[in-house]
Amino acid sequence: MHDRVLILDYGSQYTQLIARRVREERVYCEIHPPTRSLDWVRDWEPKGIILSGGPASVYDRDVPTADRELFRLGIPILGICYGMQLIARLEGGEVRGGRREYGRAELTIREPNALFEGFDPGEPVPVWCSHGDHVDEPPPGFRTLASTQTLPVAAFCGEERPIFGVQFHPEVAHTPRGDEILSNFLFRICGCQPTWTAGTFIEETVRAVAEQVGGGTAICGLSGGVDSAVAATLVHRAIGERLTCIFVDTGLLRRGERESVERTFRKHLGIRLVVADACDEFLGALRGVEDPEQKRRIIGERFIRVFERASEEHARGAGFLVQGTLYPDVIESLSVRGPSATIKTHHNVGGLPVDMRFELIEPLKELFKDEVRQVGRELGLPEDFVARHPFPGPGLAVRILGEVTPERLAILREADAIFLEEIRAAALYDDIWQAFAVLLPVRSVGVMGDARTYEHVIALRAVTSRDGMTADWYPLPYDVLARVSTRIINEVAGVNRVCYDVSSKPPATIEWE
């Protein structure tokens, strides 16, 4: 079994980032709520425990806390921000408020013990702070390791126990040497071994899937995205031709999507693939519908019906359903903060019936998106498939603001293809998290060939992001924007104006609907 680290989530916006940093060191970790019992923690057998930051004060009513006995299990612990304050409070120290600090600070190392191995005492180290409370003096049995101009205790450690706290965030990019601090905790303090790799994950997952399915058969709904592609490839490696993949052509796909999926899975990977052509069915159900949530519900319900029909026809008797569930989907249900407000129904088409007859296979439920891509490369999936930008389950329907019609789909499909062609030609595709075109529900006046036009408007969207939770608009070079605009207006009939979206998330979302 791999060495593993337990992350207790106290509601920080950076908790997933902590997990990603630990995984990047090839150490397995999981995020769990702080309500896990001591017995559960003992049985899980972590090599180390990290207490995340959080928005609360340790003095708030009903504040998420920890059992003090956690600090007496002998397991190394690292408290980050709120996690440090919680350690101080529970161990008899005093946590003070009224000194809010957000942004860059200079850390001075007083004692370069194991946590700061490799750091020179007295040398200023840039760190990122985001807190309201702070610790003025370490609790009894602890000593100060580092300070800043405003924080007398920016880091501390137990004198006889492997318990550490830092008031800053080592997991963020704004703490340039944060990776070294986390690495010191994982390897020097916890004694972890870096065995969590794409190769070992594939071996273990293939073995587990083969054991789960036994002599049975499985089906997988392919979306054309990397998650379902990697999930299907893993399961195919485990059970071979007893897997049937079903690709539903909704008529809402990008140009060449169906052909790309057929080519990759049938010819390149040799996986049994069934294509269910339901274009007319989806377009008929969407006729006259403008509300984005209604579009999503209609597409999700219709998808399930088409998928069920295809599975009955081509994979009758299959007892397992392969899903491309990722680890962030699992974390969502365990969050200390509770369920998030519904901004919009999840991009992935679906909504599985409670009484479905299938047993689920979720081979990616331990992985983040970047890990899925790495596994895909290790499995031999083509790079253009593995590195492709995310695409919403409802497809182009949520990039057409207003009613979805064959004419409007044709316009958007061509404009979107031109946009992607040009950013690839400019060698910018891999720098961008997601890029796409949107068809707006307005028309504008233009002039073409000395004649007045009254045509459609296309908006272009390109963002950078790590995981889609937050995003910044990408500063496309003016010459690239000019080429894209010129080509769309010249080559796509019915468009006379192109705009560029310079909104970040938040306050905007990445998709327009």
Side-chain angles (χ1 to χ4, degrees), residues 41 120 134 165 186 202 204 228 300 370 453 478 487 503 511-512:
V41 174
D120 294 329
H134 66 280
L186 296 172
I202 291 170
E204 293 164 5
S228 63
D370 52 344
T453 61
Y478 291 148
R487 282 195 60 193
S503 310
E511 297 286 347
W512 279 48

Side-chain angles (χ1 to χ4, degrees), residues 114-358:
L115 190 65
F116 294 107
E117 183 76 29
F119 290 74
D120 294 329
E123 177 189 356
V125 178
V127 296
W128 188 261
C129 293
S130 178
H131 60 89
D133 296 345
H134 66 280
V135 179
D136 268 349
E137 291 185 12
F142 287 74
R143 66 179 184 271
T144 300
L145 297 178
S147 59
T148 71
Q149 280 192 329
T150 58
L151 295 172
V153 185
F156 63 43
C157 73
E159 293 177 339
E160 298 180 357
R161 292 174 289 165
I163 300 175
F164 299 79
V166 294
Q167 187 57 72
F168 55 91
H169 288 274
E171 71 273 22
V172 303
H174 298 297
T175 301
R177 298 185 68 181
D179 288 350
E180 294 178 55
I181 296 170
L182 290 174
S183 177
N184 283 338
F185 177 71
L186 296 172
F187 302 120
R188 296 182 182 277
I189 296 169
C190 299
C192 293
Q193 296 298 314
T195 60
W196 175 252
T197 65
T200 58
F201 172 81
I202 291 170
E203 291 174 10
E204 293 164 5
T205 302
V206 167
R207 189 163 54 246
V209 170
E211 183 177 336
Q212 180 183 2
V213 177
T217 57
I219 58 172
C220 176
L222 284 179
S223 67
V226 65
D227 300 341
S228 63
V230 172
T233 308
L234 273 170
V235 175
H236 181 257
R237 182 168 289 192
I239 66 173
E241 293 186 357
R242 287 181 288 130
L243 170 69
T244 299
C245 289
I246 298 173
F247 179 76
V248 178
D249 187 349
T250 63
L252 308 171
L253 306 173
R254 290 170 291 193
R255 191 176 73 185
E257 190 92 22
R258 174 172 170 172
E259 293 79 9
S260 173
V261 169
E262 290 187 278
R263 182 172 58 253
T264 298
F265 283 86
R266 282 185 179 148
K267 296 181 180 178
H268 184 80
L269 298 173
I271 295 177
R272 183 172 183 238
L273 175 67
V274 172
V275 176
D277 190 334
C279 301
D280 294 340
E281 190 172 336
F282 278 87
L283 288 176
L286 290 169
R287 188 174 295 118
V289 177
E290 297 186 1
D291 178 76
E293 279 300 292
Q294 191 177 354
K295 286 182 191 176
R296 290 175 181 273
R297 283 193 295 271
I298 289 170
I299 294 168
E301 292 166 1
R302 189 67 51 175
F303 183 92
I304 292 295
R305 292 197 188 103
V306 174
F307 185 83
E308 286 176 340
R309 287 203 309 266
S311 63
E312 278 296 308
E313 182 178 351
H314 298 282
R316 184 186 295 273
F320 297 86
L321 173 63
V322 181
Q323 286 268 94
T325 307
L326 302 190
Y327 190 44
D329 302 323
V330 176
I331 295 170
E332 184 78 18
S333 65
L334 296 174
S335 173
V336 66
R337 292 162 287 180
S340 303
T342 299
I343 306 301
K344 56 193 175 189
T345 304
H346 197 274
H347 290 323
N348 293 329
V349 176
L352 297 173
V354 177
D355 59 347
M356 70 174 187
R357 62 181 176 85
F358 301 108

Side-chain angles (χ1 to χ4, degrees), residues 335-400:
S335 173
V336 66
R337 292 162 287 180
S340 303
T342 299
I343 306 301
K344 56 193 175 189
T345 304
H346 197 274
H347 290 323
N348 293 329
V349 176
L352 297 173
V354 177
D355 59 347
M356 70 174 187
R357 62 181 176 85
F358 301 108
E359 180 179 335
L360 280 181
I361 300 174
E362 297 175 298
L364 308 180
K365 65 182 180 181
E366 295 177 339
L367 302 185
F368 289 102
K369 188 78 169 188
D370 52 344
E371 294 172 322
V372 173
R373 295 188 195 280
Q374 189 56 42
V375 168
R377 293 184 178 98
E378 192 85 11
L379 288 168
L381 281 166
E383 182 62 24
D384 60 349
F385 215 90
V386 172
R388 69 190 319 186
H389 292 174
F391 186 63
L396 298 180
V398 292
R399 294 177 179 174
I400 294 175

